[in-house]
Amino acid sequence: MSILKTTLRPYKIDGELIRLSSRHDCGYIINKEVIKNINRCYTYGIGSDISFENEMLDINPYIKTYLYDHAVSQPTLKPNMTFFKNGLSGHKEGELNSFFNHVIENKDSLNEKILLKIDAEGAEYPLFNENSIELFQNLEAMIIEFHYIENQLDNFLKILNDINKYFFIVHIHGNNCAGQFNHEGFICPSVPEITFLNRKRYEPLGFLSVKYPIAGLDYPNNPNKGDLEIDFL
């Protein structure tokens, strides 16, 4: 079996998985209990759409929500939202900085119940390459869109194996704005959107046998193209 398929396999979990945001691009899947539990959200790469964060705050209006994107202007914000015209990297470089430095700048703490959400066009790689995975271990959950994983597959697998020490996957969706590739018989999206939950706070209940997309939960990023199948049966 493909090591990539084995490493990406999602787990069952108690509780309801919900979709926040649109039925197309910028919509992500998360366990509803996570939204009720967290008190912080750090989002990187908002583009022109913060409907995920708006709907999140409809469920739990007490979440302090920090929005980062160096390429857009400030959107209309709800109470408890703060926008920064800064981007993501593994360290401070111009208008880019690491998540951990942003936590310090906000006089925040990694001991808060944080959701980290990243869609930053490849900036996820330096963040994980340049910072120890132990720094992430207390986060409540992460939603990360990894970009063009076939171009740096060894690095992606290393990052994923590190993440899996402290987190487990509950959902994966392929962004159909990109394509797919074949890894030892496993057809994998080039740009997977992955939801991780913390192993210390949530219990994985065994592997899922599932074929994505899931009707009523997953929708194609580009509505004019078919969604991408990911087979874990």
Side-chain angles (χ1 to χ4, degrees):
M1 181 183 291
S2 162
I3 186 65
L4 182 58
K5 181 175 182 178
T6 301
T7 309
L8 283 172
R9 184 177 287 277
Y11 284 83
K12 303 174 189 175
I13 186 172
D14 276 338
E16 179 187 6
L17 289 177
I18 60 172
R19 181 184 184 88
L20 296 181
S21 187
S22 73
R23 288 192 171 187
H24 303 300
D25 202 23
C26 300
Y28 296 96
I29 310 305
I30 190 68
N31 185 285
K32 192 171 185 178
E33 290 303 308
V34 171
I35 303 303
K36 293 178 178 179
N37 290 339
I38 61 173
N39 58 13
R40 301 286 191 278
C41 176
Y42 281 75
T43 292
Y44 292 92
I46 62 169
S48 60
D49 190 333
I50 59 168
S51 54
F52 177 99
E53 290 73 20
N54 283 329
E55 293 180 20
M56 175 186 73
L57 288 170
D58 287 341
I59 297 171
N60 181 353
Y62 302 105
I63 302 167
K64 288 186 178 180
T65 304
Y66 301 100
L67 308 169
Y68 290 85
D69 197 318
H70 66 294
V72 302
S73 299
Q74 178 173 308
T76 301
L77 303 178
K78 282 188 172 184
N80 253 353
M81 285 183 172
T82 306
F83 171 77
F84 299 90
K85 197 174 176 64
N86 300 114
L88 182 68
S89 186
H91 60 278
K92 174 67 173 172
E93 50 177 331
E95 60 188 0
L96 309 180
N97 209 340
S98 77
F99 157 64
F100 302 103
N101 286 338
H102 287 147
V103 169
I104 293 169
E105 289 176 356
N106 292 328
K107 297 182 172 58
D108 220 342
S109 168
L110 292 173
N111 292 321
E112 300 290 351
K113 295 182 177 180
I114 297 174
L115 168 63
L116 175 61
K117 175 174 165 279
I118 302 174
D119 178 7
E121 308 306 321
E124 63 277 10
Y125 294 113
L127 177 67
F128 284 98
N129 288 338
E130 297 177 30
N131 295 277
S132 169
I133 192 60
E134 281 70 27
L135 292 172
F136 297 84
Q137 65 178 300
N138 288 326
L139 302 183
E140 192 83 7
M142 300 189 295
I143 301 173
I144 304 173
E145 182 168 291
F146 287 95
H147 291 81
Y148 300 102
I149 62 175
E150 71 272 29
N151 294 338
Q152 46 182 311
L153 191 56
D154 288 345
N155 185 38
F156 172 73
L157 285 169
K158 179 186 181 302
I159 290 170
L160 206 60
N161 281 317
D162 284 343
I163 291 173
N164 286 343
K165 295 173 186 175
Y166 298 105
F167 298 85
F168 62 97
I169 295 171
V170 295
H171 192 83
I172 179 172
H173 176 257
N175 186 329
N176 73 337
C177 295
Q180 298 168 291
F181 67 100
N182 188 323
H183 182 266
E184 299 174 358
F186 175 55
I187 307 303
C188 185
S190 294
V191 180
E193 305 161 343
I194 308 176
T195 303
F196 303 89
L197 301 190
N198 192 308
R199 291 181 180 272
K200 293 186 291 187
R201 303 206 174 96
Y202 303 92
E203 182 181 1
L205 301 176
F207 288 121
L208 272 174
S209 292
V210 63
K211 179 182 281 189
Y212 295 105
I214 296 175
L217 198 60
D218 292 314
Y219 295 89
N221 301 68
N222 180 347
N224 298 315
K225 297 171 62 177
D227 217 347
L228 302 182
E229 288 190 354
I230 315 173
D231 189 351
F232 291 102
L233 296 177

